[in-house]
Amino acid sequence: MATTASTDAVPGFRGTYFGRIKNAIISIMEGMSVTLGYLLQRPITIQYPDRTPKPVKDTLPERYRGILELDMKTCTACLACERACPIGCIKIEVVKDKETKKRYITRFDIDIAKCMYCGLCVDPCPGGAIRHTNEFEGSTSDVQYLVRRFVPPGERIEPAKPKKKEKEEAGAEGS
Amino acid sequence: MTEFITEEMTLNMGPQHPSTHGVLRFQLTSDGEVIHSVKPDVGYLHRSIEKIAEKVTYHGFMPYTDRVDYVAAMNSNFAWALTVEKLGGYQVPERAEYLRVIAAELNRISSHLIMLGVMAMDIGAVTPFPYFLRERETINDLLEELCGARLTYNYIRIGGVSSDLPDGFRDRALRFLDHFEPIIDEFNRLITYNEIFVNRLANIVIIPREQAIAWALVGPNLRASGVKWDLRKDEPYSIYPQVEFDIPVGKGEVGTVGDCFDRFIVRVDEMRESSKIIRQCLDKMPEGEIQSKLPRQLKPPKGEVYVRSESARGEMGYYLVSNGGLNPERVKIRTGSFSAMAIMEEVSKGIMIADMVALISSLDVIAPEIDR
């Protein structure tokens, strides 16, 4: 089977020698006319970060999946986000006080360095406590600063009471 | 006079080489400029995605499918969702099907734009690349509005999609298409029919019809060899049977059918068809649900299934074995770039090194897709 195209198998396939030179000049001129059309237009590129008219953060769409944020006031400690996360970048610890039989969150860490911003943790959250922000500039001098601790070490926070409907949903997930 | 001794030279192209599109190595044996044999060495970007699938849930594997082919992540998402839905028999609301196709076709356009721009740049024309990227930027903005991410979308969910169209999306998408369709003609004037560009591509590395089929080329590479085979038409899934579009095939416009130029022009034509599909979908889209009710902890029944779909780089197939548990038992991914890599060794005998650069970019390989 003739599969290869060796160099001598390519004769002058489009016209004569001079015809091809003419074609080359015409088609280059045509390409130039396209680029010339853009010469007088305003450039579409912008210089990031200091020359943007307003911060890039404010121009992002509403659904932008940036760094995760948690509202501790609405978190019910149902652990749905921890279970949904494919890489396990969310770590939640809940303790039960034996006397009062109340649950307390002692740890809620999100490792932003591991997070891949997939948004799978936001979907199952019953109260909308965990959500993506528009924040995307997260560079720090040390990788450990990228672990966002929403419960200060040594403290314990009482989780919000789930509404009735949410409670059922949260219960169904655990099964 | 001493005898002039020549010997073959072994040359490494890659792993760091601008024209290998990722980390990919070719071992060339060449006699001066003419290549005697090419051995593709793949595996530098192996991230064991198939193994990861065995450790995560069915929903949880979706973000990883983004990373299989990051240039056309939406199509990759789509294929995985189709696979799990087929195995579990899950229903998808009609509106979600339309949303999926709109997103997938937008992504197909942006993927082809990258390929065309990069191919022109590999050949030596640097100017077109920013022009192609400018259009891709608008698509990225549209998809960012839709799902919140620009590259690793994770938009399609098993049994639906993650979010409905945002306000004004339809108008913005139509405005983009109105602007984009004439731009394709402008691209053709800018680069496609440029005499130097044509001479660099026409009659270079012809892959005839029989050979393309025998080596299991897929997608646009196969169609460039004159085979009218598109899974969207021939094995229709989702709502593709309800939309009208043509399948562009290589015609040998300036050389022979199946040359590098055909592989280029087929993708240019495919962008027009994709834009036709998006228009129809935006018009026909019904109101309704976007996600069917499925349990959070998905447990498809025991069994195995292979589903293929048409990605931007050809056939993307997922072979899935389920043991009835929370995680898949085994996932095997078949991708278009891998088939394209297989044919490299066969077709690149006797070509020039500079033509091999044209061949690699015309096959549109994405290194992470070869290795997974």
Side-chain angles (χ1 to χ4, degrees):
Chain A
M1 208 187 296
T3 57
T4 54
S6 71
T7 44
D8 50 47
V10 190
F13 49 87
R14 271 159 65 100
T16 58
Y17 178 75
F18 289 107
R20 283 164 69 182
I21 293 177
K22 198 182 125 206
N23 279 344
I25 292 170
I26 290 173
S27 58
I28 288 173
M29 283 317 203
E30 188 143 15
M32 290 289 207
S33 72
V34 173
T35 49
L36 271 177
Y38 286 102
L39 183 67
L40 299 173
Q41 283 179 27
R42 199 183 271 231
I44 58 148
T45 49
I46 47 168
Q47 292 202 14
Y48 174 81
D50 50 347
R51 306 266 176 88
T52 51
K54 57 179 176 175
V56 178
K57 212 174 91 181
D58 301 335
T59 61
L60 294 170
E62 202 184 324
R63 286 177 190 168
Y64 184 76
R65 299 203 303 255
I67 292 171
L68 284 167
E69 180 192 69
L70 181 78
D71 183 8
M72 246 6 249
K73 288 195 186 96
T74 45
C75 178
T76 59
C78 66
L79 311 185
C81 49
E82 194 183 19
R83 240 177 273 127
C85 183
I87 36 179
C89 72
I90 304 174
K91 288 271 178 295
I92 309 171
E93 272 168 25
V94 177
V95 291
K96 209 167 185 181
D97 199 318
K98 274 176 190 163
E99 289 163 24
T100 55
K101 290 197 174 165
K102 269 185 176 170
R103 292 163 79 236
Y104 292 101
I105 313 173
T106 54
R107 183 181 173 203
F108 199 121
D109 294 354
I110 301 177
D111 193 344
I112 296 299
K114 276 188 193 168
C115 178
M116 60 173 162
Y117 309 99
C118 64
L120 288 177
C121 53
V122 180
D123 285 355
C125 184
I130 192 164
R131 64 178 199 90
H132 283 288
T133 57
N134 276 357
E135 200 74 55
F136 65 94
E137 293 156 317
S139 62
T140 55
S141 54
D142 196 325
V143 75
Q144 64 172 345
Y145 300 138
L146 288 173
V147 182
R148 299 285 151 97
R149 296 178 203 284
F150 292 96
V151 180
E155 280 184 36
R156 54 181 206 177
I157 291 176
E158 204 175 330
K161 290 223 161 52
K163 285 171 198 154
K164 209 180 174 191
K165 198 178 146 235
E166 287 160 3
K167 209 173 185 177
E168 280 164 14
E169 271 179 20
E173 280 153 26
S175 63
Chain B
M1 201 170 126
T2 50
E3 205 183 329
F4 189 58
I5 303 164
T6 61
E7 56 180 40
E8 288 187 344
M9 182 170 65
T10 309
L11 194 68
N12 272 313
M13 191 168 164
Q16 284 88 28
H17 190 278
S19 78
T20 53
H21 299 193
V23 193
L24 179 62
R25 177 169 152 244
F26 295 96
Q27 225 174 341
L28 320 178
T29 334
S30 70
D31 178 7
E33 269 283 290
V34 181
I35 294 172
H36 282 185
S37 75
V38 170
K39 240 176 138 177
D41 183 7
V42 300
Y44 288 95
L45 273 168
H46 183 76
R47 292 146 299 160
S48 42
I49 286 182
E50 289 173 7
K51 185 70 190 170
I52 290 171
E54 295 165 23
K55 303 279 175 198
V56 294
T57 59
Y58 288 89
H59 288 301
F61 186 55
M62 193 60 87
Y64 290 98
T65 62
D66 287 330
R67 275 90 180 159
V68 173
D69 176 2
Y70 52 66
V71 182
M74 204 65 92
N75 292 285
S76 201
N77 280 181
F78 201 170
W80 173 246
L82 288 171
T83 312
V84 182
E85 279 153 16
K86 189 175 179 191
L87 183 67
Y90 308 125
Q91 295 300 313
V92 184
E94 209 185 343
R95 189 178 171 83
E97 295 274 25
Y98 277 89
L99 288 168
R100 282 175 176 194
V101 170
I102 290 169
E105 293 302 323
L106 276 174
N107 201 193
R108 190 187 307 276
I109 294 179
S110 77
S111 165
H112 283 344
L113 282 170
I114 281 271
M115 180 270 174
L116 300 173
V118 168
M119 184 165 173
M121 195 156 74
D122 282 349
I123 303 296
V126 185
T127 311
F129 185 64
Y131 286 76
F132 285 97
L133 273 205
R134 182 193 62 203
E135 301 310 317
R136 179 175 178 268
E137 196 59 27
T138 323
I139 297 180
N140 272 359
D141 284 344
L142 282 172
L143 290 173
E144 190 183 22
E145 271 172 43
L146 184 63
C147 63
R150 299 173 73 84
L151 201 64
T152 49
Y153 307 109
N154 189 26
Y155 173 59
I156 295 170
R157 297 287 148 86
I158 296 158
V161 293
S162 70
S163 45
D164 208 337
L165 291 187
D167 290 339
F169 182 89
R170 190 174 175 275
D171 295 336
R172 276 192 295 275
L174 285 176
R175 207 183 311 146
F176 166 69
L177 294 177
D178 288 341
H179 155 85
F180 180 66
E181 280 157 6
I183 286 278
I184 300 176
D185 295 323
E186 196 183 284
F187 285 158
N188 284 345
R189 283 173 56 213
L190 179 66
I191 183 74
T192 314
Y193 292 108
N194 183 300
E195 186 71 11
I196 300 167
F197 190 69
V198 167
N199 274 306
R200 279 288 261 119
L201 297 181
N203 286 326
I204 299 297
V205 201
I206 302 154
I207 303 177
R209 188 190 164 90
E210 293 75 27
Q211 197 186 17
I213 295 171
W215 282 87
L217 275 190
V218 288
N221 295 335
L222 178 68
R223 290 192 281 277
S225 296
V227 186
K228 209 167 187 174
W229 174 260
D230 190 318
L231 289 171
R232 290 174 292 172
K233 268 261 179 353
D234 294 300
E235 216 173 78
Y237 53 95
S238 194
I239 49 127
Y240 282 113
Q242 291 158 41
V243 288
E244 271 177 38
F245 60 100
D246 297 325
I247 307 168
V249 289
K251 293 194 257 328
E253 216 172 309
V254 294
T256 321
V257 176
D259 59 6
C260 283
F261 187 81
D262 271 355
R263 284 191 280 281
F264 184 89
I265 200 79
V266 156
R267 288 178 170 93
V268 174
D269 292 340
E270 249 179 49
M271 294 198 299
R272 288 186 217 273
E273 298 305 320
S274 290
S275 128
K276 228 193 261 178
I277 296 173
I278 298 166
R279 275 180 194 281
Q280 288 175 48
C281 287
L282 284 169
D283 281 346
K284 283 185 183 173
M285 196 160 62
E287 291 296 317
E289 287 284 303
I290 55 157
Q291 170 82 43
S292 59
K293 284 256 177 294
L294 289 178
R296 286 260 161 73
Q297 308 270 354
L298 212 55
K299 280 184 189 172
K302 234 179 196 175
E304 54 182 66
V305 68
Y306 177 73
V307 176
R308 49 188 190 168
S309 70
E310 187 74 26
S311 158
R313 255 155 282 284
E315 190 179 311
M316 174 162 261
Y318 280 83
Y319 174 66
L320 167 65
V321 183
S322 159
N323 54 6
L326 281 173
N327 308 338
E329 169 104 2
R330 175 82 174 95
V331 173
K332 167 87 182 78
I333 310 167
R334 186 185 189 279
T335 56
S337 296
F338 192 75
S339 328
M341 239 345 60
I343 202 171
M344 278 295 296
E345 206 171 338
E346 175 83 4
V347 294
S348 54
K349 278 176 196 139
I351 62 170
M352 309 272 258
I353 291 178
D355 290 344
M356 199 186 116
V357 174
L359 171 66
I360 300 167
S361 43
S362 80
L363 286 172
D364 191 17
V365 291
I366 293 285
E369 207 200 17
I370 303 170
D371 303 331
R372 271 96 65 194

